[in-house]
Amino acid sequence: MRPNIIYIFADQWRKQAAGFMGEDPVITPNIDRFAQESLVFQHALSCTPLCSPHRAALMTGRYPQSTGVYTNCKNGADVMLSPDEVCIGDVLKGAGYQTGYIGKWHLDLPEQNKCPEPESGARDWDAYTPPGPKRHGFDYWYSYGAYDHHLKPHYWRDTPDMIKVDQWSLEHETDMALDFIRTKGSDGSKDPFALFVSWNPPHSPFELVPDRYKEMYSGRELSLRPNVSSEQLTAHTGEPFESGDEALLRYTRDYFAAVSGMDEQFGRIWQEVQKLGLSENTLIVLSSDHGELMGSHGLMAKHSWHEESIGIPCLMNWKGMIRQGGTELLFNSVDIMPTLLGLAGLPVPSAVEGLDLSGDILGRSHTKISSAFLSAFPGRKEAIESYAAEGLDNRRFGWRGIRTRQYTYVVHQGYAPGDDVQRVLYDHERDPYQLDPLIIKGLPQTELLMALEEELQSWLERTQDKFDLSR
């Protein structure tokens, strides 16, 4: 019998921000207990650490180079997930699953890119996605595009009428998810259900968290990571943040508060699955779309190749089927869709570029994975325009890298025309906080560096990426 699937992913939740990891001093008792009963991925990665690119890879099993979703779906860039892509929702619905999607979608074209006053009331990056092919097989729909007012969220169902809510988005979406699970899990149907729940917090603005969670960290001494610097905080792409110890500690406390609130909401869902007697036939996955640097290397947000940015939590639980403990599998964004389909016993579409690692998870096979491919692109409106003015394609720049269990190797060609090329190597065993990278000027000369460069080149060829390593 095919399992029910509950796939929950938060936005900007880094793998270090879970109590059981023993890294960030964050309070997550429900997730900690869940981890003890689940398979925990030590090397789950966001192939392009940004909202829309990861989401597109999650849905399609394909890299941004293939889907075209290389940056966020936003004003100033006509980027969206094509209705022609075959997504996990399409496959699950075709196989008889009852499908649902709740929360942040962020894969549709912002409506204001086409119309200044959309009927739905969507503004800026937001969009109402109407029923049809752009929903990619998800029948139950309670969603929005991109909207960061966490304490006063809004949603759309099957009409442009905006549903405004005066409740923290995570709590409200959990309420909706519980209704879906109770209805589908107890309706006597032989058809399994698949529910995707996309939580926006702990994404910024960090301060938009209910006070009861902030109080958990009020006055607490926080130990920050050894690689944190607060003097001049910026995003990797250059946007400035309020700097200084006071600002960083405020961000951090609020971020941890949101994670603790998320922990409580996750606990409600997990408890309901157990209460309904669905544990033995339900695959629960808890993950995120990318991390949050939170001052590491003087950086905020995401988009960089550092562990706090690319490293995501990933816990899988299917009672009696998936073993408990840790796994060293390199598990990239593009591997999620084919692996979930494999666990459900469904065929993987031929266009998928990720790996079906269900056999490894179920203990039936052992896949040799030498590296995971990582990439990021200049995507800000100003950057796109500056490359175009020089007759250049912005998608051929930014950075590309590979992550092995021991190394991260990156070639960075910048976010603006004329930026210097930089090669960087990190040895995670020797330098777990990435404080002492090897900066390579010119082309690689040592055997290790040449092998890593060759591996990266093979990934560029496999994904038909025009990024030029000979620059």
Side-chain angles (χ1 to χ4, degrees):
M1 193 172 178
R2 288 173 179 157
N4 303 312
I5 298 170
I6 301 174
Y7 188 93
I8 303 168
F9 63 119
D11 195 330
Q12 214 151 307
W13 177 33
R14 68 187 190 186
K15 73 174 183 181
Q16 296 85 4
F20 73 89
M21 291 292 294
E23 296 203 47
D24 289 342
V26 62
I27 302 164
T28 55
N30 293 295
I31 294 170
D32 297 349
R33 283 194 297 273
F34 185 70
Q36 290 176 350
E37 298 184 20
S38 304
L39 184 66
V40 178
F41 289 77
Q42 310 291 351
H43 303 286
L45 302 162
S46 182
C47 69
T48 298
L50 197 62
C51 282
S52 298
H54 171 88
R55 290 161 186 271
L58 159 65
M59 290 292 153
T60 64
R62 286 152 52 78
Y63 289 97
Q65 289 82 345
S66 300
T67 64
V69 185
Y70 71 91
T71 188
N72 277 329
C73 302
K74 60 189 174 184
N75 302 135
D78 283 345
V79 170
M80 64 174 284
L81 182 63
S82 168
D84 297 329
E85 291 281 355
V86 178
C87 292
I88 188 167
D90 299 306
V91 178
L92 291 170
K93 181 180 177 181
Y97 271 79
Q98 305 172 84
T99 56
Y101 193 96
I102 295 171
K104 181 175 181 176
W105 179 241
H106 205 183
L107 284 171
D108 202 350
L109 191 70
E111 289 191 78
Q112 284 197 315
N113 281 21
K114 297 288 186 185
C115 170
E117 297 285 336
E119 181 187 359
S120 67
R123 294 292 182 270
D124 302 318
W125 295 14
D126 206 0
Y128 159 60
T129 300
K134 290 204 292 183
R135 289 192 181 179
H136 289 286
F138 291 107
D139 287 330
Y140 176 85
W141 189 263
Y142 192 79
S143 182
Y144 62 96
Y147 185 73
D148 292 330
H149 295 263
H150 308 320
L151 296 174
K152 291 187 179 292
H154 65 232
Y155 306 87
W156 290 277
R157 292 190 196 250
D158 297 333
T159 73
D161 298 326
M162 183 187 289
I163 301 164
K164 296 182 179 180
V165 176
D166 190 12
Q167 185 183 16
W168 191 42
S169 62
L170 258 73
E171 185 176 34
H172 181 67
E173 289 157 22
T174 299
D175 289 346
M176 303 303 291
L178 291 173
D179 285 344
F180 181 96
I181 294 165
R182 287 171 188 142
T183 301
K184 302 300 183 186
S186 58
D187 65 0
S189 170
K190 292 181 181 177
D191 295 329
F193 67 81
L195 175 63
F196 282 67
V197 182
S198 173
W199 287 330
N200 198 348
H203 188 286
S204 55
F206 303 121
E207 68 272 14
L208 298 182
V209 182
D211 288 341
R212 66 183 183 273
Y213 302 120
K214 289 187 179 185
E215 287 164 7
M216 296 170 70
Y217 296 91
S218 177
R220 280 172 62 102
E221 285 290 321
L222 291 186
S223 57
L224 302 181
R225 295 174 69 73
N227 57 17
V228 162
S229 169
S230 67
E231 291 171 24
Q232 192 170 355
L233 295 169
T234 65
H236 197 246
T237 44
E239 301 95 320
F241 282 72
E242 182 185 350
S243 300
D245 289 348
E246 184 181 339
L248 182 60
L249 285 169
R250 185 175 72 249
Y251 296 148
T252 304
R253 283 196 174 91
D254 288 346
Y255 181 76
F256 289 172
V259 173
S260 291
M262 181 186 74
D263 174 82
E264 182 176 304
Q265 303 311 316
F266 172 73
R268 293 174 65 205
I269 294 176
W270 185 33
Q271 184 178 31
E272 190 66 22
V273 169
Q274 294 171 305
K275 181 179 164 187
L276 292 171
L278 298 175
S279 297
E280 292 185 0
N281 200 40
T282 300
L283 167 65
I284 304 177
V285 184
L286 179 62
S287 190
S288 77
D289 58 2
H290 52 72
E292 162 60 57
L293 286 148
M294 198 54 71
S296 289
H297 313 287
L299 298 169
M300 293 292 294
K302 55 268 186 177
H303 209 266
S304 83
W305 52 78
H306 300 98
E307 287 294 291
E308 296 84 1
S309 170
I310 63 170
I312 58 176
C314 186
L315 299 88
M316 286 190 184
N317 183 291
W318 181 5
K319 193 172 178 182
M321 293 295 291
I322 295 179
R323 67 178 176 84
Q324 302 169 13
T327 175
E328 293 287 313
L329 273 174
L330 288 170
F331 193 59
N332 211 350
S333 305
V334 293
D335 303 326
I336 300 167
M337 180 259 214
T339 299
L340 292 180
L341 292 178
L343 290 168
L346 297 173
V348 175
S350 59
V352 166
E353 296 168 322
L355 297 172
D356 171 7
L357 297 172
S358 59
D360 300 68
I361 290 166
L362 296 171
R364 298 171 184 165
S365 59
H366 181 73
T367 306
K368 289 188 177 178
I369 307 169
S370 56
S371 66
F373 180 47
L374 309 169
S375 59
F377 309 77
R380 296 177 69 198
K381 183 174 182 286
E382 300 80 1
I384 295 170
E385 291 170 349
S386 66
Y387 281 101
E390 300 277 338
L392 299 170
D393 182 351
N394 61 297
R395 292 168 297 179
R396 301 179 69 166
F397 295 87
W399 58 265
R400 308 292 187 272
I402 56 172
R403 167 74 154 68
T404 72
R405 287 181 189 83
Q406 184 172 354
Y407 299 108
T408 296
Y409 178 70
V410 175
V411 180
H412 186 27
Q413 297 188 358
Y415 299 128
D419 280 358
D420 291 338
V421 178
Q422 186 181 57
R423 283 170 168 79
V424 191
L425 175 70
Y426 301 88
D427 182 336
H428 301 293
E429 292 180 6
R430 183 184 60 79
D431 179 25
Y433 293 100
Q434 297 175 301
L435 286 163
D436 187 27
L438 176 64
I439 311 293
I440 303 117
K441 299 204 168 148
L443 294 173
Q445 302 296 328
T446 69
E447 188 175 339
L448 170 63
L449 292 171
M450 287 191 288
L452 292 169
E453 180 102 350
E454 186 179 338
E455 178 92 350
L456 178 55
Q457 180 62 46
S458 74
W459 275 112
L460 297 176
E461 292 165 5
R462 284 156 66 180
T463 57
Q464 298 184 321
D465 190 329
K466 300 292 195 299
F467 190 86
D468 186 358
L469 288 180
S470 68
R471 283 197 190 100

